[in-house]
Every structure is written in structure tokens, then in C-alpha cells.
């Protein structure tokens, strides 16, 4: 039996600190957390429920949908559509924003999410996760339009992710620090186990999909070459490389022990500005990372300053230990000079 602070207590204490709080946000976040617990349960049962494998369908990204992509998207929708806290929802798995059904009241928040990030890893039992971002609706109580979601990441009220790994954890920020909670399955509650998570400014670990090397821009090529040169090169120290192909797992490792994660702009598909999506991957992760003392840029600009142009807009992502992110970003600016 744990004796630590529960997530419920933590959220209520946050509400007490927020002038004018009505409890709407607390209740919304509680519904998101319930959805993450339900998703953890389904993901952890995996093959026992016959939910592995792919469907014949593709999502708006042109990616083959896994059965669990659709199942987890439905869990997020059903858990959050009814309570009257939301003006709308948007998801990686839905082309258009989800309109709250008429039988439910409309609220003052917007919920954006990737219900199962890294889902291609589920069949091979590698950690996956749910990423979510909460914004204020421009007009409370009015059904959200696409443009309502197109807010800079700096305007997020809350960002978080659940990671379904050796343990199920929830990591979130409200804008004053990043905190981690571990699910106690015996009680069914998340417990504060990682208070005030802080990313070391220095690191010896970088994460990038090296199979794309021939498509990288020169600043990224230069940075990775210097890491690979190790002690004999300009960095004067050896580096290690990781690539899990699950952003939630990469970010969680970086929050826990430092590192730099890069999914940079490359020439593999010139039409794409990057692989990762701004609204429900880059923005929430950038908020979480910055609140833990890290940095997050596109290589050229701070991610949280970007003005979104589309619901599924892709951007380059370079995030993690501040010294390293600043180095890579500096190389991009050198190139521009
Ligand atoms: P690649 C998962 O599909 C994802 O969106 C991120 O979670 C992950 O970091 C990246 O794509 C992996 O991309 O090209 O290595 O499969």
C-alpha cells in the first residue's frame, strides 16, 4: 500500500493554487487519466484480447492503422466527450476535429491527443504511450472549429503523457515543473514517484533514426559526426546512441537521465517539414521538456513559439538536454549566416 501523494491529491492541490478555478480542469484531467488507465489495461493484455496487428485502414497521416490505434482513440473519446468540459477534441487518428455530441454540454477546454504513440511497437512489446495537450477554447461553450486548435504551444494549459512500459507512468506539467506518477494497480491510482523531474543539461546520449542519415541537413550531420568521433573528436567525450521508435519512450528516458532526441527535417520526403506532428506530439513534449529544464526547437525556432497552420502539421523536433539542443540549433543558425 503506497503512502505517497496520489495524482488526485496533486491535481486538487493544483486547483487550490489556481485563482478562480471552478474544478472544471480538475474533472477534465481526471477523465483523461481514467482513459489512460483503461488504455494501459488494454495494451497490457495485448494478444490476450486479440487486439494486436493492423487494420486495412489508413489514418490521415497515410499510416496503416493498428487495431489499438482505433480502440485507444475510442477510449479517449468516450472518456472525455460527456462531462461538459470540452468544446471539441482532435486526434492523430481523426482527419477532422471531433464534435461533442448534442446530448452533452459544451465546455471551455480543447483536448488534443495521440492515443497510442509508437503503436507500431505494440506487436513487438516495446513501450508505447498516450500524449495529450489541453488548451483553452477561444469561445467557451461553442463547438470548436479547426482554427480554434491552431494555438502556439506556449498557450497550453497542461501537457502530459502516459507511458505503458515495465510500469505505467503518467508525466505531466501545468506550467510550473514536470512531475511523474506511477500506477499502483492494486489501488488503481497514480502515485507521485518522480517529483520535479529535471533534465541534466549535459549528456552523452543521442537518439536519432540513423537510417535517414543520407537525407539529413548539414547541421544535423555535423552534430552526429561529432558525437560519433567521441573522445578523439571536438566533443572530447564518447557518446552512446538509442532509438526506440517510440517518442514517449525516448522523452521519458531523457527526462529520467538526460539526452537529446532528434527527428530533424530531412530530404527523404521534401513535401514533409518533418515526421512528428506539432499539435499532439511536438507541442506537448516541448512543454514537458522545457518545464523540466530542457529545450525543444525545430533546429531553427523554439517549438512552443510556432503558430500552427494545420491540425496535422509536421515539424522537425530536436529536444532534450539544453546544452546539446543549443549546440544543434546553433549549427543551424551558423548555416543560415
Ligand atoms: P521511425 C512513432 O510512429 C513516431 O511517431 C514517434 O513516436 C517515433 O519517435 C517516430 O515516429 C519513429 O519514426 O521513422 O523511426 O519509425
Amino acid at each position: 500500500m503506497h503512502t505517497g501523494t496520489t495524482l488526485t491529491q496533486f491535481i486538487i492541490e493544483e486547483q487550490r493554487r489556481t485563482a478562480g478555478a471552478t474544478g472544471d480542469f480538475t474533472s477534465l484531467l481526471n477523465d483523461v487519466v481514467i482513459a489512460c488507465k483503461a488504455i494501459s489495461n488494454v495494451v497490457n493484455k495485448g494478444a490476450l484480447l486479440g487486439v494486436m496487428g493492423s487494420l486495412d485502414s489508413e489514418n490521415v497521416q497515410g499510416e496503416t492503422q493498428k487495431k489499438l490505434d482505433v480502440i485507444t482513440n475510442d477510449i479517449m473519446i468516450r472518456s472525455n466527450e460527456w462531462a461538459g468540459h470540452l468544446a471539441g477534441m482532435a486526434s492523430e487518428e481523426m482527419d477532422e476535429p471531433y464534435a461533442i455530441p448534442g446530448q452533452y454540454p459544451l465546455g471551455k477546454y480543447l483536448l488534443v491527443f495521440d492515443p497510442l504513440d509508437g503503436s507500431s511497437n505494440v506487436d513487438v512489446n516495446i513501450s508505447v504511450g498516450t500524449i495529450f495537450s489541453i488548451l483553452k477554447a477561444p469561445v467557451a461553450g461553442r463547438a470548436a472549429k479547426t482554427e480554434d486548435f491552431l494555438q502556439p504551444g506556449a498557450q497550453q494549459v497542461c501537457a502530459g503523457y502516459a507511458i505503458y512500459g515495465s510500469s505505467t507512468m503518467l508525466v505531466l506539467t501545468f506550467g510550473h515543473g514536470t512531475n511523474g506518477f506511477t500506477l499502483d494497480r492494486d489501488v488503481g491510482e497514480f502515485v507521485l514517484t518522480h517529483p520535479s523531474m529535471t533534465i541534466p543539461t549535459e549528456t552523452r546520449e543521442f537518439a536519432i533514426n540513423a537510417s535517414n542519415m543520407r537525407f539529413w541537413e548539414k547541421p544535423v550531420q555535423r552534430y552526429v559526426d561529432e558525437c560519433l568521433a567521441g573522445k578523439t573528436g571536438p566533443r572530447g567525450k564518447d557518446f552512446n546512441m538509442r532509438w526506440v521508435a517510440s517518442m514517449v519512450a525516448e522523452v521519458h528516458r531523457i527526462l529520467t537521465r538526460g539526452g537529446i532526441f532528434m527527428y530533424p527535417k530531412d530530404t527523404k520526403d521534401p513535401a514533409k517539414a518533418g515526421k512528428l506532428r506539432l499539435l499532439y506530439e511536438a507541442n506537448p513534449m516541448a512543454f514537458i521538456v522545457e518545464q523540466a529544464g530542457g529545450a525543444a526547437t525545430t533546429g531553427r525556432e523554439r517549438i512552443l513559439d510556432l503558430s500552427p497552420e494545420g491540425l496535422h502539421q509536421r515539424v522537425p523536433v530536436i529536444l532534450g538536454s539544453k546544452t546539446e539542443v543549443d549546440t544543434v540549433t546553433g549549427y543551424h543558425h551558423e548555416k543560415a549566416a
Side-chain angles (χ1 to χ4, degrees):
M1 173 63 185
H2 68 81
T3 55
T5 301
T6 65
L7 178 56
T8 304
Q9 290 167 317
F10 190 89
I11 297 170
I12 297 278
E13 284 160 9
E14 169 66 17
Q15 178 183 326
R16 286 193 188 122
R17 278 201 295 264
T18 308
T22 63
D24 261 350
F25 174 76
T26 296
S27 177
L28 166 60
L29 191 51
N30 187 57
D31 292 341
V32 172
V33 169
I34 289 170
C36 291
K37 290 179 192 175
I39 292 171
S40 171
N41 193 44
V42 169
V43 165
N44 275 260
K45 286 195 165 54
L48 294 173
L49 293 180
V51 295
M52 311 296 262
S54 301
L55 300 166
D56 295 337
S57 55
E58 281 190 349
N59 62 18
V60 65
Q61 327 288 341
E63 294 161 349
T64 303
Q65 280 186 306
K66 311 294 282 184
K67 288 178 189 170
L68 276 172
D69 284 327
V70 175
I71 292 167
T72 56
N73 193 66
D74 285 348
I75 290 172
M76 286 294 280
I77 294 289
R78 300 294 161 254
S79 181
N80 291 288
E81 65 179 346
W82 60 275
H85 307 308
L86 293 175
M89 293 186 242
S91 161
E92 171 176 319
E93 300 305 327
M94 300 186 293
D95 301 5
E96 301 301 326
Y98 179 80
I100 303 296
Q103 68 265 35
Y104 302 131
L106 293 170
K108 61 187 179 188
Y109 293 106
L110 300 174
L111 178 62
V112 190
F113 53 88
D114 180 355
L116 200 63
D117 179 69
S119 58
S120 57
N121 285 315
V122 169
D123 296 353
V124 294
N125 206 5
I126 290 174
S127 299
V128 292
T130 299
I131 308 172
F132 62 89
S133 168
I134 298 174
L135 298 160
K136 279 278 183 71
V139 179
R142 188 249 299 145
K145 304 171 187 166
T146 296
E147 54 266 30
D148 294 346
F149 291 89
L150 305 185
Q151 303 178 32
Q155 292 178 210
Q156 292 175 96
V157 175
C158 170
Y161 65 80
I163 179 167
Y164 313 116
S166 47
S167 62
T168 286
M169 284 191 66
L170 196 105
V171 173
L172 53 77
T173 183
F174 306 119
H176 27 269
T178 292
N179 291 279
F181 302 79
T182 302
L183 181 59
D184 179 340
R185 291 190 185 283
D186 296 336
V187 179
E189 175 63 293
F190 282 98
V191 180
L192 180 63
T193 50
H194 297 65
S196 304
M197 298 182 86
T198 303
I199 300 175
T201 51
E202 309 292 333
T203 184
R204 290 170 179 261
E205 204 158 63
F206 69 95
I208 193 165
N209 181 341
S211 70
N212 294 324
M213 189 177 289
R214 64 189 185 282
F215 303 116
W216 295 340
E217 295 183 304
K218 289 206 179 333
V220 172
Q221 189 70 64
R222 172 184 171 189
Y223 176 78
V224 173
D225 285 348
E226 290 176 353
C227 290
L228 295 177
K231 281 199 183 81
T232 63
R235 302 302 308 272
K237 61 182 181 178
D238 289 340
F239 280 73
N240 205 344
M241 196 194 105
R242 289 286 183 275
W243 189 251
V244 184
S246 175
M247 187 185 196
V248 172
E250 313 277 7
V251 170
H252 193 72
R253 184 188 61 248
I254 288 168
L255 277 168
T256 308
R257 68 185 191 209
I260 180 170
F261 167 88
M262 295 169 279
Y263 213 114
K265 175 175 169 45
D266 64 38
T267 58
K268 189 172 185 178
D269 180 347
K272 284 183 182 171
K275 168 158 190 185
L276 302 177
R277 277 63 48 140
L278 176 57
L279 286 189
Y280 39 81
E281 288 174 318
N283 269 342
M285 290 312 203
F287 190 16
I288 289 165
V289 162
E290 282 199 3
Q291 285 296 313
T297 75
T298 62
R300 294 176 170 85
E301 302 168 78
R302 180 179 178 238
I303 284 175
L304 294 182
D305 290 339
L306 297 175
S307 294
E309 293 157 10
L311 213 51
H312 303 290
Q313 176 183 351
R314 296 173 188 267
V315 294
V317 176
I318 294 168
L319 61 76
S321 293
K322 188 166 181 354
T323 303
E324 299 303 315
V325 174
D326 290 350
T327 298
V328 180
T329 306
Y331 289 172
H332 282 78
H333 291 151
E334 271 180 32
K335 176 176 178 288

